[in-house]
Each structure stands twice: as structure tokens, then as C-alpha cells.
Amino acid sequence: MSRDRIASLSNPWFTASVGITAAIAIVGAIAGFAWLPLQQQGERFRGVWDAICSAVGLVRNAPSGGQIVRGDYPTTRVEIVPQMLEGASAEAIGRGATLALRCTMCHGARGLSQADSPNLAGQYPVAIYKQLVDFRTGARASAVMAPLVANLSEADMRDLAAYYAYLPRPSDQAPNTDVPP
Amino acid sequence: VWNSRRLVLAHLWFAFAGFGAALLLGEWQMFIRSPLHAWISDPEWYYRSVTAHGTTMAYVFPALVAMGFGYFVTEKSLSRPLIGLSWAWIGFALVVLGTVTAIIPVALGLASVLYTFYPPLIGNPFYYIGVVLVVVGSWVWVALTSVNLYRWKRDNPGAPVPFAMFATVTGSYLWGWTAVGAALELLFQIIPVALGLRDTIDAGLARVFFSWTLHAIVYFWLMPTYIAYYTIVPRAIGGRLFSDSMGRIAFILFLIVAMPIGIHHAFEDPQVGAGFKYLHSVFTAFVALPTLLTVFTICASVEIAGRLRGGKGVLGWLTALPWRNPVMLGSALSFVMLGFGGAGGLINMSYQLDATVHNTQWITGHFHLIFGGAIVIMYFVIAYDIWPHLTGRALDSFGLMRAQLWTWFVGMIVLTFPWHWVGILGMPRRMAFYDYTDPAIAAQAASVTMSVIGGAILVLSGVLFLIVLARGQTAPRTEPGAYRFSVAAHPPRSLPAGLNGFGLWLGLMVGLTIVNYGFPIVHLLATPGTAVPAISVGVR
């Protein structure tokens, strides 16, 4: 079976196998890239080419001239990336502890709430930081929290996050018996 | 002509030792996340174990079985000494070295990324380097298989390549090309990040590369099983292979339609266009063709055996079959599991149905039933069949073998059926802890417990398997006679070039890969802003 004999139209094995495979691929492609996308309800394609571009995975631009709708409510500005807020210094934790005195009434003396407010002890620092920023920007609304965070600086929020992350979390093995089952 | 005896034994013993260890890890995982055990409090241990279990079971174990059995078939079917014996030992050494290199960081908790890597998770570089070494070692086998075939063809111009060899070469080519996807992902994407040369990774592109490997690797696992169906089963039960040509066509079809179809593993991924997902589904559906061809051919071959043994009537041949023969029993149980597993696979490959089972325990149940069940039970059968030829000693614990095969079958069913069921109920996979006191999942506790029992039966069966092999190693010496493969009802005297060579089929395989993967890969490579920060995993 020499190489030139394989890829030749006079070789029936070649024509049959390549022909059948190509036919399946072509029929599958027509169905998958054009026919099925055009059958989708709710997709507003402008012509077949637009449907094909969508089906192959190209990112489509918004329709020109159309109105781009933006939400009229604030969304979070925090972008969480790995290793964010890691390695807090002892000074940061200390400053956070001082700032946290004003949180104790609801969140407890050491981050364990007696008032059904969330426990903050041992919480991930990015989680604390994100909530504080969201309360400040209005992405998360709370009549209680909003005035408390209004005057916090960026550094204050990072320090608070570092302090609560530093506190030991309630043991997984011994659930808080104060909480009703 | 028998110079690879020690080589094959080394492959199989290392494979089965790894299998035994990974089996215990699997059962431990089932246990600690079941209602029978309290929360382990550190999920890292669970993912560490899953990584070791998956890496051993998915890469090392089947690669070594395929390689060892492949060398055996090469030498026995071509009836001449294996060419490149020292290269084969180098390949084996690479696999062993790679396994050790990979498993040390996993054991230390430095690479709990699971065997499918899951970028942007990044673990210790030695884990990935170890996996690459395993793949490179297996490529040595691919090359040697090819060299042996072409030397034989040169010396026997025009003669039909023995069927067992033809099938083995198909399996090796399938693996050679299949492994390229994961190798590209590891070498160009993951390892540079793991070494600290880059700190972002295009996770979407990495997943597309891995899907290239992820589906066809299943067919690579399947190859030794299919080779055993065709070349061992009919001979062992006293029948004939129904059709030699049909077998060759089935293997060729696997080469073409089993390879470039992996994007159905990325159905829920947004970075691949829906059209390509559809195209891959279409070709996935065509895998039914070689599967059904095989089911038909093997059933027909078994019927020949039943009738030769005096079975009469429509179903009488079934009762005339040698059911006490481990090969007969094992392959029948394998077929049952293949049927259930294949039915589940039809659901996974359907875009809409997949959405209901995606990332649930259904998927884990599915691949354990197919791989751990239908495929691995035939690895046992292969070992039982060729062991006397490897050791030169009798292997006659037939009762123990039957008990082992039955316990494997029962254990696998008890393990995977409840697993599928909780998947339908929505239980997610890859989680270390489930709170069964939560009313939402309390109903799943009984099914999960049942799976743990299934796993325990499998451990028992695994121990029985190793006992049978160890007894074979210490039994009195005997002369096993020449090894024979099954003979076709009409043995081929000459074959058309298409059924005796691979050029055309390899061309189609590569061409179809370019059609099915070319655009998505180039598009993702060319799209800016797709890289995400890597997340390092490991004990700190």
C-alpha cells in the first residue's frame, strides 16, 4: 500500500471513506452552524452569516444603533483575585482590632455574634473586605451598616478584614449550641 | 520465540500493584464522604486522595496494561522476538519514574488538582512532569509497536497482518495521537505556570486541549478489552471468530470516530461555539457503529462456540456455553456492564440531557461502570489467560477466579447504580463533604451507603485477584504450550490494503481532528484577554 496509491480517486477505499466522513461532517456542519441556530427562538440574528459566527463561537458585537441598557443600580466594584489581602501585618490586625470595637455590639466581642448577626471570626479576608466596600458604595443596602461604613477608608476596611480573618473560627466539630436547631 | 516474558510481567505487576493501592484509596473516599463517617474537617486530604486515585487508575494502570499486553500480542501474534527490547525497558522505566515523580508531590499535598488538572488550579510542577514522563514512556511503546509491524510487513510482503497485531497497532496509534492534546496543555500551558515562568493561564483553551485527550483516552482504556473480546474469548471457549474483516473495520472505525469528538466533555463550557458542540455530538453518535459491530461479532462468535458444543435451537446454544470458564464468565459480565454503561453514555453525549447530569455523581458512576466495570474486568480476564505463559506455572484456582469475577461484577453494580441515582437527584461530584442531616439531601444517605458497600465488595474482589496471581507465581512449573489467538471462521488469505494498513485511517483521524478542533483552538489562541490568574493549590 504505497503512499501515492492511497490518496487517489481510483482507490475505492479512499473515495468511500473520505467521502462518507466528509459527507457526515458537511451535513453536521450545516445543521450545527446554520440550521439549528436559525431555529432558536429569541436569538435575533441578522442573516445566516451572523448565525454562523455565533455558532462557531465568535464574540458578537451589540447590534449597531441599538440602545445599550445599563442597570440603574450600583453593582460591586470589587474584583477578587487569588492571593488578595494575604499576609496581613501585625500592625494591620491591631488597627483592625481597634476599629472593630464599634462592631462588637452586633458581631460580638471576638467576632462571634450573640445577636444572630453573622459570625465574622475566621472569615476569609476578601469576603469581609468585599462586603464593607459594597455597603459603602451602595451595591449592598443596609440601614444598619451604611452609616457605620460611611467614614471608613480603604485601609480601614483592609485592616478590619485582616483582624476578623485572624480571629479563630468557631470549631467545625463543636457547633454553636446557642443556635436553635 | 519469547524474549519479552520478564518485560510483560514487570508491566503487569506494576500495573496491578498500583491498581490495588488506588482501589483502597477509592473505597476510603467513598467511606469518608458517606453518612457512615463524620466530616474529616480538612477537605484537602480528600482531594489529595482523589488525585492519587485518578492519576493511578486513569494514566498509569491502563497504560501499563495496554503496553504489557501489547508487547505480549506483538511477540506472540507475529511469532518472532520483539524488536527493541531494551527500548521497551526504557519505556517501562520512564513510566515507573514518572509515576513516582508524580505521586510524591500528590502524597505531600502539593498537587491536589485531580487527574484532569483543572486549570487555573496549579500544583507542584513535579506532578505534571511525572505525568508527562508516563506519557513519553507509553509513546515508546507506540513507536515500538509500529516498528515491529513494519519490519514484519517488510519480511512478509502482502501477507495479512495477524488480527491481534492489527488491533494492537490501532490501539497504539489511537493513544499516540490522543495523548497529544494533554501533552500540549501540560507542556505549553500548565508546566510554564507551575514553574513560575508565567502567572496566568488560558483555562478555556486548556480545557479544549484536555477534551482532545479526555474522550479518546476512554477508548484507549477500552482497546485491550476489545482485543480480548476478539482474540481471546472465541478461542478460550472453543469457538471461532465470526468475521475477521468485521473486527478490522470496527477497530478502524474507533481510530476515526473515537478520536476527534471530545468537545462533548465541554458542553457546559462557554468558550466553545454551540456549532462545534453539535458537530462533536454527531461524531460521538457514530461511536455506536464500531460498538454495535463488536457486540454483534462477539455474540455471533460465542454462538458458534455454543453450537459446536452441541447447543441446539434458538437459545439452546446459550446453556451449552462453558460458563465455568473464567474467560466466558468475565466477558459475559463485561458485556452486561458495557450495555448499562453505554446507555448512560448516550445520555451524556446529548446536549440537552447532559445539562441535567453535568457535574453530578451520575458522571462518576458512569465512568466507573464503563472503565472500572466493563473494561477492567477484561483486564483480569487477560491476566488470567496469559499468566501461565508469563510465569511458566499453572494458574488453576478456577473457583477463586470465578468468585473474583462475580464479586467484581456485583460490587461494581452495587457501587455505580446508586451513584447514578444520586446524580439524578442532583448530588454534585468532586465534593469532600455532604451534610446528610440537611432534609434536602437526607434521602440520598441510603444510596451513598449502598455505594460504600459496593466499594467494599470491590476491595475484596481486588484482593482475590492479587491472591490468584500470586498463587500463579508460586504454583508448580508447567509447560503452557504455544499461545494461540482465536481463529476466524474464514481466516483471511489476502486482505485489501485498506484492512491491512493504516495510512488512510491515520490520515482521516488527523484530518478529522483538524476539522473538529482546528477552529476552536486557533480562535481561542487568537482571542486576547482570555487568560486568568493561576490559583496555586497545596499545603502551605
Side-chain angles (χ1 to χ4, degrees), chain B residues 216-348:
Chain B
I217 197 174
V218 180
Y219 289 92
F220 166 64
W221 299 337
L222 195 66
M223 280 296 163
T225 295
Y226 269 49
I227 295 169
Y229 286 160
Y230 280 96
T231 68
I232 294 180
V233 174
R235 184 262 298 150
I237 62 172
R240 290 292 186 104
L241 178 61
F242 177 73
S243 166
D244 178 277
S245 314
M246 198 110 86
R248 286 173 200 257
I249 290 170
F251 277 92
I252 288 166
L253 282 173
F254 273 127
L255 205 55
I256 301 167
V257 293
M259 209 329 276
I261 59 173
I263 281 181
H264 70 255
H265 286 253
F267 271 160
E268 315 299 328
D269 282 28
Q271 80 277 14
V272 183
F276 281 101
K277 292 172 182 171
Y278 179 80
L279 194 57
H280 282 237
S281 285
V282 169
F283 280 101
T284 310
F286 279 95
V287 178
L289 250 158
T291 310
L292 293 177
L293 267 181
T294 300
V295 170
F296 174 81
T297 309
I298 300 308
C299 288
S301 310
V302 171
E303 182 179 347
I304 292 176
R307 298 211 182 274
L308 285 173
R309 295 168 62 90
K312 301 254 182 280
V314 179
L315 291 174
W317 58 274
L318 275 171
T319 49
L321 289 170
W323 288 106
R324 295 175 65 77
N325 181 333
V327 177
M328 180 70 237
L329 178 67
S331 41
L333 298 177
S334 170
F335 259 50
V336 173
M337 293 189 278
L338 187 70
F340 283 118
L346 289 176
I347 288 166
N348 304 343

Side-chain angles (χ1 to χ4, degrees), chain B residues 54-320:
Chain B
T55 305
T56 310
M57 290 299 207
Y59 297 133
V60 180
F61 170 52
L64 283 170
V65 170
M67 291 164 74
F69 183 49
Y71 291 131
F72 180 87
V73 170
T74 303
E75 195 161 270
K76 294 293 185 189
S77 66
L78 300 182
S79 307
R80 56 194 230 167
L82 184 77
I83 297 164
L85 187 65
S86 26
W87 279 105
W89 277 109
I90 291 172
F92 175 69
L94 281 173
V95 174
V96 174
L97 179 70
T99 307
V100 174
T101 310
I103 226 71
I104 288 174
V106 172
L108 294 174
L110 301 176
S112 305
V113 295
L114 310 197
Y115 90 95
T116 35
F117 308 141
Y118 291 118
L121 298 185
I122 294 290
N124 185 288
F126 284 103
Y127 171 64
Y128 306 109
I129 292 168
V131 173
V132 169
L133 287 177
V134 171
V135 171
V136 171
S138 68
W139 276 343
V140 172
W141 164 70
V142 174
L144 282 180
T145 310
S146 193
V147 167
N148 276 277
L149 173 75
Y150 284 96
R151 291 279 187 84
W152 184 89
K153 280 181 112 173
R154 199 186 58 196
D155 299 342
N156 300 271
V161 175
F163 178 78
M165 185 62 186
F166 186 85
T168 299
V169 178
T170 316
S172 80
Y173 287 156
L174 179 69
W175 173 240
W177 186 240
T178 291
V180 168
L184 291 173
E185 181 197 8
L186 285 171
L187 294 175
F188 294 105
Q189 295 197 277
I190 292 183
I191 290 179
V193 179
L195 290 172
L197 305 175
R198 278 208 298 268
D199 52 12
T200 59
I201 188 165
D202 187 343
L205 178 63
R207 290 176 62 89
V208 170
F209 275 135
F210 197 76
S211 83
W212 170 326
T213 296
L214 188 56
H215 195 70
I217 197 174
V218 180
Y219 289 92
F220 166 64
W221 299 337
L222 195 66
M223 280 296 163
T225 295
Y226 269 49
I227 295 169
Y229 286 160
Y230 280 96
T231 68
I232 294 180
V233 174
R235 184 262 298 150
I237 62 172
R240 290 292 186 104
L241 178 61
F242 177 73
S243 166
D244 178 277
S245 314
M246 198 110 86
R248 286 173 200 257
I249 290 170
F251 277 92
I252 288 166
L253 282 173
F254 273 127
L255 205 55
I256 301 167
V257 293
M259 209 329 276
I261 59 173
I263 281 181
H264 70 255
H265 286 253
F267 271 160
E268 315 299 328
D269 282 28
Q271 80 277 14
V272 183
F276 281 101
K277 292 172 182 171
Y278 179 80
L279 194 57
H280 282 237
S281 285
V282 169
F283 280 101
T284 310
F286 279 95
V287 178
L289 250 158
T291 310
L292 293 177
L293 267 181
T294 300
V295 170
F296 174 81
T297 309
I298 300 308
C299 288
S301 310
V302 171
E303 182 179 347
I304 292 176
R307 298 211 182 274
L308 285 173
R309 295 168 62 90
K312 301 254 182 280
V314 179
L315 291 174
W317 58 274
L318 275 171
T319 49

Side-chain angles (χ1 to χ4, degrees), chain B residues 336-361:
Chain B
V336 173
M337 293 189 278
L338 187 70
F340 283 118
L346 289 176
I347 288 166
N348 304 343
M349 58 146 277
S350 320
Y351 201 169
Q352 288 79 358
L353 289 175
D354 174 72
T356 65
V357 294
H358 176 71
N359 265 347
T360 69
Q361 297 282 6

